[in-house]
Amino acid sequence: LAKPRGPPPPPSTPGKRLLRRFLDAMRVLSRAVKILAYLSPLPALTIASYAIPNKAVDDAAWAYATEAMQRLGPCFVKLAQWAATRRDLFPSSFCDRLSKLHASAKKHSWTHTERLLRQSFGDEYSSSLRIDSDTPVIGSGCVAQVYLATVSDGSQVAVKVIHPHVKAQIASDLRLLRFATSALDKIPLLHMEWFALPEAVEEFAVIMEEQLDMRKEAANLDKFRRQYKQYSSSVDFPKPFHHLTTENVLTETFEQGDPISEYFSSSAEKKRILAKPLITTFLRMVFTNNFIHCDLHPGNILVTKDHKLVFLDAGITNTLSDNDQTNLRDLFKAVVLNQGYEAGKMIVDRAKRQSCSDPEGFAIKIGQIVSEFHEQRSVGLTLGAVKIGNLMSRVLELCRSHKVLLEPAMANVVLSTIVLEGVGRTLDPDMNLFAAAMPFLLGTS
């Protein structure tokens, strides 16, 4: 149904190209002024929060910072959320604050949605997709909003539509971020080379640009559905409608269910049914399929009436390189087998970027953390007895303080582990983590 392309536009004249460049420069300049206006109070607020050791002052500074990020739009919201995953770069208190930033946004108008639908599918789109100004909006994130619509056979579908101007705004913001980080990286007195800011911005840019093409999310959903077809009785993903999907619009099956968080207060039996498929699905993503959903917070996990888990919002995924996958498997195996010192040596030796002045001390501290973890073995390595999220957080904090930079893909997997471990413990504190993980670590599952 995607609208056929018309004849190519006539070539632009030098005058038009010059005008476009001028307008583009003005747009970026205007955006820079707005960003500076919102961010300029932050240095003073930061100084105040350190100078006045008062929780109210600290809370006020963070409240302004998060509000400023929200008002500056999707690039800054996602940048803050991305920074929250890099606990090997930033202090835990900083990451904890940023992780609470929600990626919600105001709803855009039906006029914009209708214009995109016509551009994508032609004027007769309503013959295949029943959606109009009365169609309910069931969610609005910082990049797109979602409608509950129907297709021609009456089936309900979720239609995700990109917000207006979001692509141009993100392009401007990325240009400004690249300029700012490149400039900071070249100032010797700041010693910013450790943070590898230009590389970090390029990593972030890839994440943002992938979310601006709905066809990529559709392809991700297809891949997940193929990989988990044999587990479809317990795990599922929405099915995309490719003939109703373009760069700006994604149409997928509407999945009936409740967020998994609504089951946190259910009976122990109901919760236990959900814990095993949740944890094993994540382990399978990481260690078997090497295709990882990178936004697995409780709001993106639904539970159907027959207790099937449905994973939503697959726009951000991760695939580890062969080297990273080997390192991650060896690291998890060393932790499970109580080989913390060896794990610490391995982290330093295999790091692509590190300025660790005391590798031996780093390895000893990792060994101490892992040993504390294994002291709980007398009561079993269950989710209730051991706090793997706490272990991972402490490992990342050591990486930061000893200047051992993890690969971004590995840092994302570690963060996802922390999030899902918390959900798993809430559902079934008696689940044996050792028993669940070993088949995947040994490659027998």
Side-chain angles (χ1 to χ4, degrees):
L1 185 66
K3 187 177 180 181
R5 294 180 181 178
S12 60
T13 63
K16 286 183 178 179
R17 288 197 294 271
L18 184 62
L19 178 60
R20 260 201 314 270
R21 290 197 191 105
F22 174 76
L23 293 176
D24 185 49
M26 289 298 99
R27 184 174 66 250
V28 173
L29 179 61
S30 172
R31 181 65 179 163
V33 170
K34 183 177 181 179
I35 291 170
L36 286 172
Y38 273 110
L39 299 185
S40 56
L42 287 180
L45 288 170
T46 302
I47 292 170
S49 66
Y50 277 101
I52 307 171
N54 183 287
K55 186 176 183 298
V57 174
D58 195 45
D59 288 345
W62 274 107
Y64 178 82
T66 52
E67 177 67 18
M69 293 293 181
Q70 292 276 23
R71 289 182 176 275
L72 285 171
C75 202
F76 282 84
V77 171
K78 293 291 184 180
L79 179 64
Q81 292 177 331
W82 169 84
T85 71
R86 298 309 308 270
R87 291 170 184 259
D88 56 326
L89 284 177
F90 306 110
S92 295
S93 57
F94 177 85
C95 295
D96 288 340
R97 291 276 194 172
L98 291 182
S99 67
K100 297 174 183 176
L101 189 64
H102 298 294
S104 58
K106 291 181 180 179
K107 299 175 184 177
H108 65 243
S109 69
W110 165 249
T111 302
H112 169 74
T113 294
E114 185 179 33
R115 182 168 60 250
L116 276 190
L117 291 172
R118 292 185 185 280
Q119 288 175 0
S120 298
F121 310 123
D123 293 339
E124 302 302 319
Y125 70 86
S126 58
S127 62
S128 297
L129 186 61
R130 295 171 183 170
I131 179 172
D132 56 33
S133 58
D134 294 324
T135 302
V137 176
I138 56 175
S140 183
C142 60
V143 171
Q145 71 185 33
V146 184
Y147 292 85
L148 176 56
T150 58
V151 288
S152 54
D153 66 359
S155 302
Q156 288 186 315
V157 293
V159 181
K160 184 183 289 190
V161 181
I162 291 278
H163 286 311
H165 313 305
V166 71
K167 291 185 177 182
Q169 183 177 312
I170 287 174
S172 296
D173 288 351
L174 289 175
R175 285 178 64 181
L176 290 169
L177 280 172
R178 287 181 174 113
F179 173 78
T181 54
S182 178
L184 287 171
D185 200 52
K186 292 173 182 175
I187 301 176
L189 292 176
L190 295 179
H191 301 290
M192 300 294 286
E193 61 277 0
W194 151 245
F195 288 96
L197 289 178
E199 293 92 333
V201 168
E202 291 309 315
E203 170 206 335
F204 173 68
V206 170
I207 293 172
M208 288 304 304
E209 288 162 0
E210 284 187 349
Q211 293 183 78
L212 296 177
D213 189 341
M214 297 290 101
R215 295 167 299 187
K216 292 186 177 179
E217 182 169 353
N220 291 341
L221 289 171
D222 278 338
K223 188 169 182 177
F224 277 126
R225 287 176 62 82
R226 287 194 303 271
Q227 291 177 336
Y228 293 88
K229 186 176 181 179
Q230 62 180 305
Y231 310 104
S232 59
S233 61
S234 59
V235 174
D236 206 356
F237 296 82
K239 177 183 177 181
F241 291 76
H242 290 281
H243 67 292
L244 293 172
T245 295
T246 65
E247 182 179 343
N248 296 313
V249 180
L250 168 66
T251 304
E252 62 186 18
T253 51
F254 174 70
E255 302 296 334
Q256 296 275 4
D258 299 311
I260 197 170
S261 55
E262 294 192 14
Y263 284 76
F264 289 171
S265 57
S266 297
S267 66
E269 182 180 357
K270 282 187 177 179
K271 291 191 291 185
R272 195 174 296 116
I273 291 171
L274 303 175
K276 185 175 180 180
L278 176 68
I279 298 300
T280 54
T281 296
F282 178 68
L283 291 170
R284 189 168 285 112
M285 284 181 183
V286 175
F287 295 111
T288 304
N289 297 331
N290 191 21
F291 188 63
I292 307 154
H293 191 307
C294 290
D295 199 13
L296 285 179
H297 60 77
N300 278 342
I301 307 171
L302 297 184
V303 181
T304 65
K305 288 182 179 179
D306 56 354
H307 297 103
K308 180 190 294 188
L309 297 179
V310 180
F311 296 94
L312 308 177
D313 203 1
I316 309 176
T317 59
N318 195 0
T319 297
L320 300 176
S321 68
D322 290 343
N323 185 56
D324 285 344
Q325 197 174 26
T326 299
N327 289 345
L328 187 67
R329 189 185 298 274
D330 289 348
L331 174 60
F332 270 73
K333 196 181 296 184
V335 170
V336 170
L337 297 178
N338 197 11
Q339 298 171 346
Y341 175 83
E342 290 81 0
K345 296 287 286 184
M346 183 188 71
I347 291 172
V348 175
D349 292 342
R350 298 185 186 180
K352 290 183 180 178
R353 183 188 292 267
Q354 57 94 2
S355 301
C356 184
S357 58
D358 185 14
E360 181 70 15
F362 176 82
I364 290 171
K365 289 177 182 177
I366 295 290
Q368 291 170 346
I369 293 173
V370 174
S371 294
E372 291 174 23
F373 173 83
H374 276 270
E375 287 174 4
Q376 299 296 326
R377 289 203 64 171
S378 59
V379 293
L381 283 177
T382 64
L383 290 172
V386 298
K387 306 291 190 293
I388 195 169
N390 177 263
L391 179 148
M392 293 295 183
S393 295
R394 291 171 66 188
V395 168
L396 291 177
E397 181 65 25
L398 270 181
C399 288
R400 185 190 66 82
S401 61
H402 283 74
K403 294 188 176 180
V404 180
L405 189 65
L406 293 182
E407 286 302 295
M410 286 186 65
N412 281 329
V413 171
V414 170
L415 181 77
S416 296
T417 303
I418 292 170
V419 172
L420 284 186
E421 181 253 357
V423 176
R425 184 188 305 113
T426 302
L427 294 173
D428 184 8
D430 296 326
M431 183 177 178
N432 191 305
L433 189 63
F434 182 87
M438 279 309 292
F440 296 95
L441 294 175
L442 298 176
T444 60
S445 177

